[in-house]
Amino acid sequence: ILFGYIETFENALEHLNKGVIDSFLDLKIDWLKRLESNFNQFITKVKNDFTLISVLLIPVAVAINFVGGQLAMALKLPIYLDSIGTMLVGLIAGPWVGAATGLLTSVMNGILAPTYIGFAPISILIGITAGLLSKYKMMSNPIKIVVSIIIMLLVVTLPQVPIIIYG
């Protein structure tokens, strides 16, 4: 009688384990499908940002950034003007086009002065932040503009501190 109970208990455990594993695999597959769907939606949104006009704006903005940066250096201004084009493109064309503009500007400036390459993440953040602020209509009234300026100051300043100190 005792062996019969043990076999029944082992069969019950085996069926329970199989059911738990099957339900876990179903949950995992469902989660992966949702992740894939979200990723595909994200890629579609990024692709939609890069229209012909957006792509044509990128070199213009990189030139604005380059001229602004050189002008600030030549005049020894206490302000960096090498992100005007990045913010402009981010506001007009969206966050991902702004990020691409910031990256290209950093690479181009990095050819002349290699220290600029370390600030590429900051340029990317500037483009993304400007694009998101525009997307959420933060430039529509004076109060929102002041909030946007504070957000941009935080996004630009805080990540630069470790780069400047340890870079």
Side-chain angles (χ1 to χ4, degrees), residues 10 15 21 31 42 54 61 84 86 96 104 123 136 152 157:
E10 286 177 352
H15 289 295
I21 290 171
W31 180 79
F42 171 74
S54 300
I84 295 171
T86 302
W96 305 112
L104 288 172
S123 297
Y136 293 112
M152 284 301 289
T157 307

Side-chain angles (χ1 to χ4, degrees), residues 90-161:
L91 290 170
I92 293 172
W96 305 112
V97 181
T101 303
L103 178 64
L104 288 172
T105 299
S106 293
V107 169
M108 193 181 86
N109 285 334
I111 292 170
L112 300 173
T115 55
Y116 280 106
I117 297 285
F119 292 95
I122 306 303
S123 297
I124 292 169
L125 274 174
I126 290 169
I128 290 174
T129 305
L132 290 175
L133 289 172
S134 175
K135 178 180 177 182
Y136 293 112
K137 311 238 185 297
M138 292 296 289
M139 303 295 172
S140 59
N141 66 41
I143 295 171
K144 288 183 177 182
I145 291 173
V146 170
V147 171
S148 297
I149 290 170
I150 293 169
I151 290 170
M152 284 301 289
L153 284 172
L154 291 173
V155 166
V156 170
T157 307
L158 294 179
Q160 281 189 18
V161 172

Side-chain angles (χ1 to χ4, degrees), residues 2-167:
L2 183 61
F3 291 116
Y5 286 123
I6 292 175
E7 282 182 22
T8 307
F9 183 70
E10 286 177 352
N11 287 339
L13 276 180
E14 185 177 314
H15 289 295
L16 179 67
N17 285 339
K18 185 177 181 184
V20 168
I21 290 171
D22 287 346
S23 62
F24 174 74
L25 289 176
D26 289 343
L27 284 174
K28 189 172 180 180
I29 289 170
D30 184 47
W31 180 79
L32 287 172
K33 285 179 182 176
R34 278 188 275 137
L35 181 68
E36 181 185 17
S37 172
N38 290 341
F39 182 73
N40 288 337
Q41 289 174 358
F42 171 74
I43 294 297
T44 303
K45 287 179 183 177
V46 171
K47 282 181 182 178
N48 290 339
D49 275 355
F50 285 91
T51 62
L52 178 62
I53 300 294
S54 300
V55 172
L56 293 174
L57 277 174
I58 292 174
V60 173
V62 170
I64 291 170
N65 288 342
F66 185 73
V67 169
Q70 295 302 312
L71 189 65
M73 263 198 288
L75 297 176
K76 296 189 185 340
L77 297 175
I79 186 170
Y80 293 104
L81 301 174
D82 60 350
S83 297
I84 295 171
T86 302
M87 289 183 6
L88 184 69
V89 166
L91 290 170
I92 293 172
W96 305 112
V97 181
T101 303
L103 178 64
L104 288 172
T105 299
S106 293
V107 169
M108 193 181 86
N109 285 334
I111 292 170
L112 300 173
T115 55
Y116 280 106
I117 297 285
F119 292 95
I122 306 303
S123 297
I124 292 169
L125 274 174
I126 290 169
I128 290 174
T129 305
L132 290 175
L133 289 172
S134 175
K135 178 180 177 182
Y136 293 112
K137 311 238 185 297
M138 292 296 289
M139 303 295 172
S140 59
N141 66 41
I143 295 171
K144 288 183 177 182
I145 291 173
V146 170
V147 171
S148 297
I149 290 170
I150 293 169
I151 290 170
M152 284 301 289
L153 284 172
L154 291 173
V155 166
V156 170
T157 307
L158 294 179
Q160 281 189 18
V161 172
I163 295 172
I164 293 169
I165 292 175
Y166 300 112

